[in-house]
Short mmCIF file of all heavy atoms in Angstrom, two decimals:
data_model
loop_
_atom_site.label_atom_id
_atom_site.label_comp_id
_atom_site.label_asym_id
_atom_site.label_seq_id
_atom_site.Cartn_x
_atom_site.Cartn_y
_atom_site.Cartn_z
N PHE A 134 -1.91 -31.03 -25.85
CA PHE A 134 -3.07 -31.65 -26.50
C PHE A 134 -4.12 -30.58 -26.73
O PHE A 134 -4.24 -29.64 -25.95
CB PHE A 134 -3.62 -32.82 -25.68
CG PHE A 134 -3.65 -32.58 -24.19
CD1 PHE A 134 -4.81 -32.15 -23.56
CD2 PHE A 134 -2.52 -32.80 -23.42
CE1 PHE A 134 -4.84 -31.93 -22.20
CE2 PHE A 134 -2.54 -32.57 -22.03
CZ PHE A 134 -3.70 -32.14 -21.43
N TRP A 135 -4.89 -30.71 -27.82
CA TRP A 135 -5.80 -29.64 -28.20
C TRP A 135 -7.06 -30.17 -28.84
O TRP A 135 -7.10 -31.28 -29.37
CB TRP A 135 -5.11 -28.63 -29.11
CG TRP A 135 -4.51 -29.19 -30.37
CD1 TRP A 135 -5.10 -29.25 -31.61
CD2 TRP A 135 -3.21 -29.77 -30.53
NE1 TRP A 135 -4.25 -29.81 -32.52
CE2 TRP A 135 -3.08 -30.13 -31.89
CE3 TRP A 135 -2.12 -30.01 -29.67
CZ2 TRP A 135 -1.92 -30.74 -32.40
CZ3 TRP A 135 -0.98 -30.61 -30.17
CH2 TRP A 135 -0.89 -30.96 -31.52
N THR A 136 -8.10 -29.35 -28.76
CA THR A 136 -9.41 -29.73 -29.27
C THR A 136 -9.53 -29.42 -30.76
O THR A 136 -8.72 -28.69 -31.33
CB THR A 136 -10.52 -28.95 -28.55
OG1 THR A 136 -10.41 -27.56 -28.89
CG2 THR A 136 -10.44 -29.11 -27.05
N ARG A 137 -10.55 -29.98 -31.36
CA ARG A 137 -11.00 -29.51 -32.68
C ARG A 137 -11.64 -28.14 -32.50
O ARG A 137 -11.95 -27.75 -31.37
CB ARG A 137 -12.02 -30.49 -33.26
CG ARG A 137 -11.50 -31.90 -33.50
CD ARG A 137 -12.58 -32.77 -34.14
NE ARG A 137 -13.69 -32.96 -33.21
CZ ARG A 137 -13.76 -33.99 -32.35
NH1 ARG A 137 -12.79 -34.88 -32.30
NH2 ARG A 137 -14.80 -34.11 -31.54
N PRO A 138 -11.88 -27.39 -33.58
CA PRO A 138 -12.65 -26.15 -33.44
C PRO A 138 -13.98 -26.43 -32.74
O PRO A 138 -14.72 -27.33 -33.15
CB PRO A 138 -12.84 -25.69 -34.88
CG PRO A 138 -11.65 -26.23 -35.60
CD PRO A 138 -11.38 -27.58 -34.96
N LEU A 139 -14.27 -25.72 -31.69
CA LEU A 139 -15.37 -26.07 -30.81
C LEU A 139 -16.71 -25.60 -31.36
O LEU A 139 -16.94 -24.42 -31.53
CB LEU A 139 -15.14 -25.47 -29.42
CG LEU A 139 -13.95 -26.05 -28.66
CD1 LEU A 139 -13.66 -25.23 -27.42
CD2 LEU A 139 -14.22 -27.50 -28.28
N ASP A 140 -17.56 -26.52 -31.67
CA ASP A 140 -18.96 -26.26 -32.00
C ASP A 140 -19.76 -27.48 -31.57
O ASP A 140 -20.30 -27.52 -30.49
CB ASP A 140 -19.15 -25.93 -33.50
CG ASP A 140 -18.28 -26.78 -34.40
OD1 ASP A 140 -18.18 -28.01 -34.16
OD2 ASP A 140 -17.69 -26.24 -35.36
N GLU A 141 -19.76 -28.50 -32.43
CA GLU A 141 -20.38 -29.76 -32.03
C GLU A 141 -19.36 -30.61 -31.27
O GLU A 141 -18.16 -30.35 -31.28
CB GLU A 141 -20.87 -30.52 -33.27
CG GLU A 141 -21.84 -29.73 -34.14
CD GLU A 141 -23.14 -29.42 -33.41
OE1 GLU A 141 -23.53 -30.23 -32.56
OE2 GLU A 141 -23.76 -28.39 -33.71
N GLY A 142 -19.84 -31.65 -30.62
CA GLY A 142 -18.94 -32.62 -30.01
C GLY A 142 -18.62 -32.37 -28.55
O GLY A 142 -17.93 -33.17 -27.93
N ILE A 143 -19.10 -31.27 -27.97
CA ILE A 143 -18.87 -31.02 -26.55
C ILE A 143 -19.88 -31.82 -25.73
O ILE A 143 -21.07 -31.83 -26.04
CB ILE A 143 -19.01 -29.52 -26.22
CG1 ILE A 143 -17.95 -28.71 -26.98
CG2 ILE A 143 -18.88 -29.28 -24.73
CD1 ILE A 143 -18.10 -27.23 -26.83
N ASP A 144 -19.41 -32.51 -24.73
CA ASP A 144 -20.30 -33.24 -23.82
C ASP A 144 -20.85 -32.24 -22.81
O ASP A 144 -20.20 -31.94 -21.79
CB ASP A 144 -19.51 -34.36 -23.12
CG ASP A 144 -20.41 -35.27 -22.28
OD1 ASP A 144 -21.42 -34.78 -21.76
OD2 ASP A 144 -20.07 -36.45 -22.14
N ASN A 145 -22.02 -31.70 -23.06
CA ASN A 145 -22.57 -30.63 -22.23
C ASN A 145 -22.91 -31.09 -20.82
O ASN A 145 -22.79 -30.31 -19.87
CB ASN A 145 -23.79 -30.02 -22.91
CG ASN A 145 -23.42 -29.21 -24.14
OD1 ASN A 145 -22.59 -28.31 -24.07
ND2 ASN A 145 -24.01 -29.55 -25.28
N GLY A 146 -23.31 -32.34 -20.69
CA GLY A 146 -23.57 -32.86 -19.35
C GLY A 146 -22.31 -32.90 -18.51
O GLY A 146 -22.30 -32.49 -17.34
N LEU A 147 -21.22 -33.36 -19.12
CA LEU A 147 -19.94 -33.40 -18.44
C LEU A 147 -19.42 -31.98 -18.18
O LEU A 147 -18.82 -31.71 -17.14
CB LEU A 147 -18.94 -34.18 -19.29
CG LEU A 147 -17.73 -34.79 -18.57
CD1 LEU A 147 -18.17 -35.77 -17.49
CD2 LEU A 147 -16.81 -35.48 -19.58
N LEU A 148 -19.68 -31.08 -19.12
CA LEU A 148 -19.27 -29.69 -18.95
C LEU A 148 -19.91 -29.08 -17.70
O LEU A 148 -19.23 -28.40 -16.91
CB LEU A 148 -19.66 -28.89 -20.20
CG LEU A 148 -19.17 -27.45 -20.29
CD1 LEU A 148 -17.66 -27.41 -20.44
CD2 LEU A 148 -19.84 -26.73 -21.47
N GLU A 149 -21.19 -29.32 -17.51
CA GLU A 149 -21.89 -28.80 -16.34
C GLU A 149 -21.35 -29.44 -15.06
O GLU A 149 -21.11 -28.76 -14.05
CB GLU A 149 -23.39 -29.06 -16.45
CG GLU A 149 -24.08 -28.28 -17.55
CD GLU A 149 -24.03 -26.78 -17.29
OE1 GLU A 149 -24.05 -26.38 -16.10
OE2 GLU A 149 -23.97 -26.01 -18.26
N LYS A 150 -21.12 -30.74 -15.10
CA LYS A 150 -20.65 -31.46 -13.92
C LYS A 150 -19.25 -31.00 -13.52
O LYS A 150 -18.99 -30.71 -12.35
CB LYS A 150 -20.66 -32.96 -14.21
CG LYS A 150 -20.17 -33.83 -13.06
CD LYS A 150 -20.21 -35.30 -13.44
CE LYS A 150 -19.67 -36.17 -12.30
NZ LYS A 150 -19.69 -37.61 -12.68
N TRP A 151 -18.35 -30.92 -14.49
CA TRP A 151 -16.97 -30.56 -14.17
C TRP A 151 -16.83 -29.08 -13.81
O TRP A 151 -15.94 -28.72 -13.05
CB TRP A 151 -16.06 -30.90 -15.35
CG TRP A 151 -15.80 -32.37 -15.49
CD1 TRP A 151 -16.36 -33.36 -14.75
CD2 TRP A 151 -14.91 -33.00 -16.41
NE1 TRP A 151 -15.89 -34.59 -15.16
CE2 TRP A 151 -14.99 -34.39 -16.18
CE3 TRP A 151 -14.07 -32.53 -17.42
CZ2 TRP A 151 -14.24 -35.31 -16.91
CZ3 TRP A 151 -13.33 -33.45 -18.15
CH2 TRP A 151 -13.41 -34.83 -17.90
N SER A 152 -17.70 -28.25 -14.33
CA SER A 152 -17.62 -26.82 -14.01
C SER A 152 -17.80 -26.56 -12.52
O SER A 152 -17.29 -25.57 -11.99
CB SER A 152 -18.68 -26.04 -14.79
OG SER A 152 -18.41 -26.07 -16.18
N ALA A 153 -18.50 -27.47 -11.85
CA ALA A 153 -18.78 -27.28 -10.42
C ALA A 153 -17.79 -27.99 -9.50
O ALA A 153 -17.90 -27.90 -8.28
CB ALA A 153 -20.20 -27.80 -10.12
N LEU A 154 -16.80 -28.67 -10.08
CA LEU A 154 -15.93 -29.52 -9.26
C LEU A 154 -15.07 -28.74 -8.27
O LEU A 154 -14.73 -29.25 -7.21
CB LEU A 154 -15.03 -30.38 -10.16
CG LEU A 154 -15.69 -31.59 -10.82
CD1 LEU A 154 -14.69 -32.31 -11.70
CD2 LEU A 154 -16.26 -32.53 -9.78
N ASP A 155 -14.67 -27.52 -8.62
CA ASP A 155 -13.82 -26.78 -7.68
C ASP A 155 -14.58 -25.67 -6.98
O ASP A 155 -13.98 -24.73 -6.45
CB ASP A 155 -12.57 -26.24 -8.38
CG ASP A 155 -12.85 -25.03 -9.26
OD1 ASP A 155 -14.01 -24.89 -9.69
OD2 ASP A 155 -11.92 -24.25 -9.52
N ALA A 156 -15.89 -25.78 -6.96
CA ALA A 156 -16.69 -24.77 -6.26
C ALA A 156 -16.41 -24.81 -4.76
O ALA A 156 -16.18 -25.89 -4.19
CB ALA A 156 -18.18 -25.01 -6.52
N PRO A 157 -16.41 -23.66 -4.08
CA PRO A 157 -16.23 -23.66 -2.62
C PRO A 157 -17.29 -24.51 -1.94
O PRO A 157 -18.45 -24.53 -2.34
CB PRO A 157 -16.38 -22.17 -2.26
CG PRO A 157 -15.97 -21.44 -3.50
CD PRO A 157 -16.49 -22.29 -4.63
N ARG A 158 -16.85 -25.24 -0.92
CA ARG A 158 -17.79 -26.06 -0.14
C ARG A 158 -17.34 -26.11 1.32
O ARG A 158 -16.17 -25.84 1.63
CB ARG A 158 -17.94 -27.45 -0.74
CG ARG A 158 -16.86 -28.48 -0.45
CD ARG A 158 -15.67 -28.50 -1.37
NE ARG A 158 -15.90 -28.33 -2.77
CZ ARG A 158 -15.84 -29.33 -3.66
NH1 ARG A 158 -15.59 -30.56 -3.27
NH2 ARG A 158 -15.97 -29.09 -4.94
N ARG A 159 -18.26 -26.48 2.19
CA ARG A 159 -17.99 -26.53 3.62
C ARG A 159 -17.25 -27.82 3.97
O ARG A 159 -17.56 -28.89 3.45
CB ARG A 159 -19.28 -26.44 4.42
CG ARG A 159 -19.94 -25.08 4.36
CD ARG A 159 -19.20 -24.09 5.22
NE ARG A 159 -19.69 -22.72 5.08
CZ ARG A 159 -19.21 -21.70 5.77
NH1 ARG A 159 -18.24 -21.89 6.64
NH2 ARG A 159 -19.68 -20.49 5.58
N ILE A 160 -16.26 -27.71 4.88
CA ILE A 160 -15.51 -28.87 5.35
C ILE A 160 -15.45 -28.83 6.87
O ILE A 160 -15.82 -27.83 7.49
CB ILE A 160 -14.08 -28.91 4.77
CG1 ILE A 160 -13.27 -27.69 5.25
CG2 ILE A 160 -14.11 -28.97 3.25
CD1 ILE A 160 -11.79 -27.81 4.98
N GLU A 161 -14.98 -29.92 7.46
CA GLU A 161 -14.79 -30.03 8.90
C GLU A 161 -16.06 -29.65 9.68
O GLU A 161 -16.06 -28.74 10.50
CB GLU A 161 -13.61 -29.17 9.35
CG GLU A 161 -12.25 -29.65 8.86
CD GLU A 161 -11.86 -31.00 9.44
OE1 GLU A 161 -12.22 -31.28 10.59
OE2 GLU A 161 -11.20 -31.78 8.71
N GLY A 162 -17.13 -30.38 9.37
CA GLY A 162 -18.38 -30.13 10.08
C GLY A 162 -18.93 -28.74 9.87
O GLY A 162 -19.45 -28.12 10.81
#
Side-chain angles (χ1 to χ4, degrees):
F134 40 97
W135 57 94
T136 67
R137 298 182 294 269
L139 293 170
D140 40 43
E141 303 296 330
I143 298 174
D144 187 329
N145 289 306
L147 203 59
L148 187 67
E149 293 295 328
K150 179 180 178 181
W151 285 5
S152 293
L154 283 179
D155 75 337
R158 80 273 319 255
R159 290 284 173 178
I160 64 167
E161 293 294 327

